[in-house]
Structure formats: C-alpha cells, structure tokens
Amino acid sequence: YPDIAPRLKAMGVEATEKEEDGSPLYTLPVIKDDSTGKIIADSWKIALYLDDTYPDKPTLFPFGVRAPIHFFQAYFSNTAKRPGRHIFVSESFFKLNPASKDFFRRTREAEFGVKMEELAPPGPKRDEMWAAVREGFSRVAAKYESNEEGSLSYFYGDKVSYADLIVVAYLLYVR
C-alpha cells in the first residue's frame, strides 16, 4: 500500500481521484497497454478504454450503452459494498504485510475515526453489519433474478458485462 502512490506517480499515472484535503489519490487497478503505450488507472476508465480501443473484441457494455451499468455501479456500491465496509476493511488489515499494515492503519484509522481493532469487533454490532451485508446482496440478487425466466444470470441475461465484473471482483475481494 505505501508503494502505490510513489510508483504510479513515477509511471506518470493520473491520480484516480482527490482526497478530502484536495491531494491526489492513487489507487489500483492500473493497466499499461503495450500496443498504445497508454497507462490507465481506475476500473471504470479501464473498462471504457478497452471498449473504445478494441471495438473488435467482446464488449463490456452490451447494446452500446454505458449508463445502465454506471447506475448499477453506484447502486451496487450503496447496496452491497457499503454495509460490509467496516468488516471487510478490518479483515483486510489483519492479512497485510507489515509495511502495508502500518500504512493501512494510519490511513483507515484517520478515515474511520477508530482503531482498526474497533472497526468491526465481534458481537451484536458486527452481527448487525453482517445482516445488512446479506440484505444488500439479496437486493442485488433480486435485480439479477428479475431478468427473463430461463435467461442466464448476468446483468444483461445472456451477455456478460462490466456490471457482472463489478460483482465478481467484489466477491473475490470479500473472499
């Protein structure tokens, strides 16, 4: 974690967003396209870049539209990711190497205003967090299940899209 910003700056990568104090925030993922020499940071920007640069490849945005997936990304973040954030950040912390652990502690404790050990302690409050996580994922699952009967379980039925990658990537992180 402490190496991300210096390495990306050295590579000439644009900051993904801004911190609350206005300073640049560098995040992963980042790709370097050897065919074009471009370096792109931020999952959404990477997906758009790949679709625009390689239109002859399978698209991440079926039917030529991006807005529904952009809306879904915000919906998924608020519905499924946010309720479990304290738990998953806490669990991540305890699996980091020492240098990353120090960085993570400093930045996340400043963000959340509590010690990492207090972020999602065992007990009733954590149980409530897990209940909210289950409820959030159930709501997302219901949206997927609203597709036509017999269709595959993708956002667009039988077409894999960036919306599906959002869900899969988060599930892999949680795992």
Side-chain angles (χ1 to χ4, degrees):
Y1 277 95
D3 298 336
I4 293 170
R7 284 200 184 175
L8 296 185
K9 285 179 193 177
M11 292 170 60
V13 176
E14 288 184 33
T16 317
E17 47 190 283
K18 297 238 184 243
E19 298 275 10
E20 284 185 20
D21 66 3
S23 62
L25 176 65
Y26 293 88
T27 63
L28 300 176
V30 172
I31 65 164
K32 180 180 181 205
D33 184 347
D34 290 332
S35 298
T36 64
K38 293 219 175 193
I39 301 172
I40 313 293
D42 181 74
S43 299
W44 177 257
K45 290 177 184 174
I46 291 169
L48 296 177
Y49 170 81
L50 292 172
D51 245 41
D52 292 343
T53 306
Y54 300 101
D56 58 321
K57 302 294 183 206
T59 182
L60 295 169
F61 301 93
F63 311 109
V65 293
R66 296 171 174 177
I69 295 175
H70 212 184
F71 279 110
F72 175 78
Q73 184 174 28
Y75 173 80
F76 182 78
S77 182
N78 289 325
T79 305
K81 287 174 70 174
R82 184 165 286 133
R85 188 153 189 266
H86 284 72
I87 293 170
F88 303 136
V89 167
S90 172
E91 292 297 319
S92 296
F93 170 74
F94 294 106
K95 295 178 178 169
L96 297 174
N97 65 35
S100 290
K101 209 173 208 177
D102 291 344
F103 178 88
F104 208 77
R105 177 182 291 282
R106 182 174 37 82
T107 59
R108 296 331 184 260
E109 286 180 357
E111 177 183 349
F112 289 105
V114 298
K115 295 275 185 209
M116 290 305 300
E117 294 79 7
E118 299 166 0
L119 192 57
K125 187 167 176 110
R126 186 181 179 103
D127 294 342
E128 288 174 21
M129 290 178 195
W130 273 118
V133 169
R134 281 190 292 280
E135 171 61 24
F137 273 99
S138 293
R139 289 173 57 199
V140 170
K143 300 293 185 231
Y144 270 80
E145 290 167 357
S146 71
N147 281 338
E148 182 180 327
E149 182 75 27
S151 69
L152 296 175
S153 299
Y154 300 119
F155 184 80
Y156 284 114
D158 63 346
K159 296 184 183 337
V160 175
S161 72
Y162 183 67
D164 304 302
L165 299 183
I166 291 167
V167 175
V168 169
Y170 194 68
L171 289 173
L172 288 171
Y173 160 70
V174 169
R175 186 184 79 180

